[in-house]
Amino acid sequence: MKDDWATFGADLHLDLTGASGLRTGLMDALREAARSGRLAPGTRLPSSRTLAADLGIARNTVADAYAELVAEGWLTARQGSGTRVAQRAAPRPPAPAAAPRTRPPRGRPAHSLMPGSPDLATFPRAAWLRAARRAVTRAPHDAFGYGDPRGRVELRTVLAGYLARARGVYADPERIVVCAGFVHGLMMLGKVLRARRVREVAVESYGLDLHSGLLTDAGLRIPCLPLDGLGSETRALPGMRGAGAVLLTPAHQFPTGVPLHPDRRAAAVDWARSTGGLILEDDYDGEFRYDRQPVGALQGLDPERVVYLGTASKSLAPGLRLGWMVVPESLVGEVTEAKGWSDWSSSALEQLTLAEFIESGAYDRHVRAMRLRYRSRRDQLVAALAERAPGIRVTGIAAGLHAVLELPRGTEAEVIRSAAWQGLAVQGLSFFRHPDAEDRREALVIGYATPTDSAWTGALDALCRILP
C-alpha cells in the first residue's frame, strides 16, 4: 500500500528558509529550534523516514543531517530510543528591568483563611474518576460534537431530580441551563436584563464586588438593600422604583451568614409578582447547614419569578467550572440566546461525569461527609476563640464554609495588617461592603474550610494571635 504522510509518527514544524541546500537548511532549522528552546532537551524527533516524507525530501538527506548534528552534539541517537535533542544549557532570558520598590516584596502567606473556597485536598478523586470512566463508556456519539446550548440533557435531567429533592427547587430539565459557574450565569442574566430594558438591579449591602461589577458592566445600576439580623430588608423593594430585579443570597447571606427571614422571603416574592420583577437567587452553599435541616430555596415559592443559580464550586471544586440556572419558562429562550447557540462553556464530558456522579449517589455521600468535616472545623474554631479570644463574638455559623468574627470599631484594618505579619491571609468585612451601605460594622470573614488538615492547626493558632 502506498505510504500516506498523514499516517506517520510525531509532527515536527520546521521552517526551511534561505538559499542554502536542503541538507544545510534542515540542519540550520534544527539547530535554531534547539538553541531557542522551542525543541526542549530530550524531545524525540521523528524518524528520518517520517520527516523526509513530511518535508518532501530524500530520506538520506534527513539521515545525513541527523548524523551531522549528532556529531556536533546537538542531537543524540541511541538504539531503541530514537533521535532526541541533546541536553544543553537552556538559553538565559534577559533580566527584567528593576522596578522601583515602595514596600518590601510580599511572599506567599503561610496560612489562608480566605472565604469562598472548599478544602481542595478533599476533592473525591477516586470516585470522580470512576464516574468519568462510566460516563465516557456510556456517552453517546453526539456528546463529542457541538451540544445543546442549555447543556447535556443527561446532566439537566439528573439536576432536576436532585434540586427538587435536596433544595426544594421546582426544576424541569427544559428550564435548566448549564453554565461555567455563578459568574458566567450572572453575565448572561445581565445581558438578558439589559435587553429587557431593566435599568437597576437591587443588591445586598454586603456581597462580592465581582458580582456587582458584572451588573454595572452590563449597564445596570445597583442600589443596595439595608441588611440586619433578619437578612436583607426586602420590604424596601417597592420603594426602589427603578429596580427590575434583585440579587439575593437567601439561604445564607454572603458574607454576614444570616438566612433571609420568612417574612422577607414572602415580601421579595410579593414585590416580584406585583411589579413583574425577577429575583436572582444565589444558592452558593445551601447544602451546608449544620444545626438543622437546610433552608429551602426561595425559588420554590414562585418558579416563574425566581432565577435559581447553583454551582459545584463549594460542594466539589471551583476548578470544575460547572454551574446551573433554573429559569422561569418565559426566560428560557432569552437566556439560551445570551449563552450562544453552542455549549462552549462547559465540557460535555465533565457534564456527563457530574451527571453520573450525582445519579450514582456519590455526590450525596460526598456532601454528607463534607458537612461533617466542615461542622467539625466550625466547632474547633468556636472553641478556640472561646478559650483564647473570649471577647470576640462569632456569627453566621449555622451554615456555610465561613464565619464572621466581630471586631471592636476601628480595629479591622490593624488586625488585617497584623495577620499579614503573621503570614496569615484573611479578609475584612469592609471589603464586601456596598459603597452606599449604612451599616459600617467591622469584622473578619474567616473561611474555615479553606486550609488542608495539615495547615488547619497552624492557621487557627495564627488567627488567635492576631485578635484583640
Side-chain angles (χ1 to χ4, degrees), residues 431-455:
F431 177 82
F432 304 99
R433 186 184 298 135
H434 190 285
D436 298 332
E438 296 180 1
D439 181 351
R440 314 301 287 182
R441 76 184 89 170
E442 298 190 23
L444 294 181
V445 183
I446 297 300
Y448 53 79
T450 304
T452 61
D453 281 346
S454 61

Short mmCIF file of all heavy atoms in Angstrom, two decimals, residues 431-455:
data_model
loop_
_atom_site.label_atom_id
_atom_site.label_comp_id
_atom_site.label_asym_id
_atom_site.label_seq_id
_atom_site.Cartn_x
_atom_site.Cartn_y
_atom_site.Cartn_z
N PHE A 431 -14.39 44.84 53.05
CA PHE A 431 -14.09 44.54 51.65
C PHE A 431 -15.36 44.25 50.87
O PHE A 431 -15.43 44.49 49.66
CB PHE A 431 -13.13 43.34 51.57
CG PHE A 431 -12.82 42.88 50.18
CD1 PHE A 431 -11.85 43.52 49.42
CD2 PHE A 431 -13.49 41.81 49.61
CE1 PHE A 431 -11.56 43.11 48.13
CE2 PHE A 431 -13.21 41.39 48.32
CZ PHE A 431 -12.24 42.04 47.58
N PHE A 432 -16.38 43.72 51.54
CA PHE A 432 -17.60 43.29 50.87
C PHE A 432 -18.72 44.34 50.95
O PHE A 432 -19.82 44.09 50.50
CB PHE A 432 -18.10 41.98 51.50
CG PHE A 432 -17.09 40.87 51.47
CD1 PHE A 432 -16.32 40.57 52.59
CD2 PHE A 432 -16.89 40.12 50.31
CE1 PHE A 432 -15.38 39.55 52.56
CE2 PHE A 432 -15.96 39.11 50.28
CZ PHE A 432 -15.20 38.82 51.39
N ARG A 433 -18.44 45.50 51.53
CA ARG A 433 -19.47 46.49 51.78
C ARG A 433 -19.78 47.31 50.53
O ARG A 433 -18.89 47.79 49.84
CB ARG A 433 -19.03 47.42 52.91
CG ARG A 433 -20.08 48.42 53.36
CD ARG A 433 -19.52 49.36 54.40
NE ARG A 433 -19.10 48.65 55.59
CZ ARG A 433 -17.96 48.87 56.23
NH1 ARG A 433 -17.10 49.77 55.77
NH2 ARG A 433 -17.65 48.17 57.30
N HIS A 434 -21.07 47.47 50.24
CA HIS A 434 -21.52 48.33 49.16
C HIS A 434 -21.20 49.79 49.52
O HIS A 434 -21.33 50.18 50.68
CB HIS A 434 -23.04 48.15 48.97
CG HIS A 434 -23.59 48.80 47.76
ND1 HIS A 434 -23.77 50.17 47.65
CD2 HIS A 434 -24.03 48.28 46.58
CE1 HIS A 434 -24.28 50.46 46.47
NE2 HIS A 434 -24.45 49.33 45.80
N PRO A 435 -20.78 50.60 48.56
CA PRO A 435 -20.42 51.99 48.88
C PRO A 435 -21.54 52.78 49.55
O PRO A 435 -21.27 53.71 50.32
CB PRO A 435 -20.08 52.58 47.50
CG PRO A 435 -19.70 51.41 46.66
CD PRO A 435 -20.52 50.27 47.14
N ASP A 436 -22.79 52.42 49.29
CA ASP A 436 -23.91 53.17 49.86
C ASP A 436 -24.48 52.53 51.12
O ASP A 436 -25.51 52.98 51.64
CB ASP A 436 -25.04 53.31 48.82
CG ASP A 436 -24.60 54.08 47.58
OD1 ASP A 436 -23.70 54.93 47.72
OD2 ASP A 436 -25.14 53.81 46.49
N ALA A 437 -23.85 51.48 51.62
CA ALA A 437 -24.37 50.78 52.79
C ALA A 437 -24.27 51.67 54.03
O ALA A 437 -23.25 52.33 54.26
CB ALA A 437 -23.61 49.48 53.01
N GLU A 438 -25.34 51.68 54.82
CA GLU A 438 -25.34 52.45 56.06
C GLU A 438 -24.66 51.68 57.19
O GLU A 438 -24.08 52.28 58.09
CB GLU A 438 -26.78 52.80 56.45
CG GLU A 438 -27.48 53.72 55.44
CD GLU A 438 -28.90 54.04 55.85
OE1 GLU A 438 -29.33 53.56 56.93
OE2 GLU A 438 -29.58 54.77 55.10
N ASP A 439 -24.75 50.39 57.17
CA ASP A 439 -24.14 49.54 58.19
C ASP A 439 -22.62 49.60 58.04
O ASP A 439 -22.08 49.27 56.99
CB ASP A 439 -24.64 48.10 58.00
CG ASP A 439 -24.08 47.14 59.04
OD1 ASP A 439 -23.19 47.55 59.80
OD2 ASP A 439 -24.52 45.99 59.06
N ARG A 440 -21.90 50.01 59.07
CA ARG A 440 -20.45 50.17 58.99
C ARG A 440 -19.73 49.28 60.01
O ARG A 440 -18.64 49.61 60.49
CB ARG A 440 -20.04 51.62 59.23
CG ARG A 440 -20.84 52.66 58.48
CD ARG A 440 -20.78 52.49 56.98
NE ARG A 440 -19.51 52.87 56.43
CZ ARG A 440 -19.23 52.84 55.12
NH1 ARG A 440 -20.16 52.42 54.25
NH2 ARG A 440 -18.05 53.19 54.68
N ARG A 441 -20.29 48.12 60.31
CA ARG A 441 -19.65 47.24 61.29
C ARG A 441 -18.28 46.78 60.81
O ARG A 441 -17.99 46.80 59.61
CB ARG A 441 -20.56 46.05 61.59
CG ARG A 441 -20.54 45.01 60.50
CD ARG A 441 -21.52 43.88 60.77
NE ARG A 441 -22.84 44.18 60.21
CZ ARG A 441 -23.82 43.29 60.15
NH1 ARG A 441 -23.64 42.07 60.61
NH2 ARG A 441 -24.97 43.62 59.63
N GLU A 442 -17.44 46.34 61.75
CA GLU A 442 -16.11 45.84 61.41
C GLU A 442 -15.98 44.40 61.89
O GLU A 442 -16.42 44.06 62.99
CB GLU A 442 -15.03 46.73 62.03
CG GLU A 442 -15.09 48.16 61.51
CD GLU A 442 -13.88 48.98 61.93
OE1 GLU A 442 -12.82 48.38 62.23
OE2 GLU A 442 -14.01 50.22 61.96
N ALA A 443 -15.35 43.58 61.05
CA ALA A 443 -15.26 42.15 61.37
C ALA A 443 -14.27 41.49 60.43
O ALA A 443 -13.82 42.09 59.44
CB ALA A 443 -16.63 41.49 61.23
N LEU A 444 -13.94 40.25 60.74
CA LEU A 444 -13.19 39.38 59.82
C LEU A 444 -14.15 38.33 59.28
O LEU A 444 -15.01 37.82 60.00
CB LEU A 444 -12.04 38.68 60.54
CG LEU A 444 -10.89 39.54 61.05
CD1 LEU A 444 -9.84 38.64 61.69
CD2 LEU A 444 -10.28 40.38 59.95
N VAL A 445 -13.99 37.99 57.99
CA VAL A 445 -14.76 36.91 57.38
C VAL A 445 -13.79 35.75 57.20
O VAL A 445 -12.88 35.81 56.36
CB VAL A 445 -15.37 37.34 56.04
CG1 VAL A 445 -16.21 36.21 55.45
CG2 VAL A 445 -16.21 38.60 56.22
N ILE A 446 -13.97 34.70 58.01
CA ILE A 446 -12.98 33.62 58.11
C ILE A 446 -13.47 32.39 57.36
O ILE A 446 -14.50 31.80 57.69
CB ILE A 446 -12.71 33.26 59.59
CG1 ILE A 446 -12.11 34.46 60.32
CG2 ILE A 446 -11.80 32.05 59.69
CD1 ILE A 446 -10.80 34.94 59.75
N GLY A 447 -12.73 31.99 56.34
CA GLY A 447 -13.05 30.78 55.58
C GLY A 447 -12.42 29.57 56.24
O GLY A 447 -11.25 29.24 55.96
N TYR A 448 -13.16 28.89 57.11
CA TYR A 448 -12.57 27.79 57.85
C TYR A 448 -12.50 26.50 57.05
O TYR A 448 -11.90 25.51 57.49
CB TYR A 448 -13.31 27.55 59.17
CG TYR A 448 -14.80 27.36 59.07
CD1 TYR A 448 -15.37 26.16 58.68
CD2 TYR A 448 -15.66 28.41 59.38
CE1 TYR A 448 -16.73 25.99 58.60
CE2 TYR A 448 -17.04 28.27 59.31
CZ TYR A 448 -17.57 27.05 58.92
OH TYR A 448 -18.93 26.90 58.84
N ALA A 449 -13.08 26.47 55.85
CA ALA A 449 -12.98 25.27 55.02
C ALA A 449 -11.72 25.28 54.16
O ALA A 449 -11.31 24.23 53.66
CB ALA A 449 -14.21 25.18 54.11
N THR A 450 -11.10 26.42 54.00
CA THR A 450 -10.01 26.57 53.03
C THR A 450 -8.76 25.76 53.34
O THR A 450 -8.22 25.08 52.45
CB THR A 450 -9.65 28.06 52.88
OG1 THR A 450 -10.82 28.80 52.52
CG2 THR A 450 -8.58 28.26 51.82
N PRO A 451 -8.23 25.77 54.59
CA PRO A 451 -6.96 25.07 54.82
C PRO A 451 -7.09 23.55 54.71
O PRO A 451 -8.15 22.98 54.97
CB PRO A 451 -6.60 25.47 56.26
CG PRO A 451 -7.45 26.65 56.58
CD PRO A 451 -8.70 26.48 55.79
N THR A 452 -6.01 22.91 54.34
CA THR A 452 -5.94 21.45 54.41
C THR A 452 -5.84 21.04 55.88
O THR A 452 -5.60 21.86 56.77
CB THR A 452 -4.73 20.93 53.66
OG1 THR A 452 -3.54 21.46 54.26
CG2 THR A 452 -4.76 21.35 52.19
N ASP A 453 -6.00 19.76 56.14
CA ASP A 453 -5.90 19.27 57.52
C ASP A 453 -4.54 19.61 58.13
O ASP A 453 -4.46 19.99 59.31
CB ASP A 453 -6.11 17.75 57.55
CG ASP A 453 -7.59 17.37 57.47
OD1 ASP A 453 -8.44 18.27 57.64
OD2 ASP A 453 -7.88 16.19 57.21
N SER A 454 -3.49 19.47 57.35
CA SER A 454 -2.15 19.72 57.88
C SER A 454 -1.91 21.18 58.19
O SER A 454 -1.09 21.53 59.04
CB SER A 454 -1.09 19.22 56.89
OG SER A 454 -1.21 19.91 55.65
N ALA A 455 -2.64 22.07 57.52
CA ALA A 455 -2.44 23.51 57.72
C ALA A 455 -3.45 24.12 58.70
O ALA A 455 -3.27 25.26 59.12
CB ALA A 455 -2.54 24.24 56.37
#
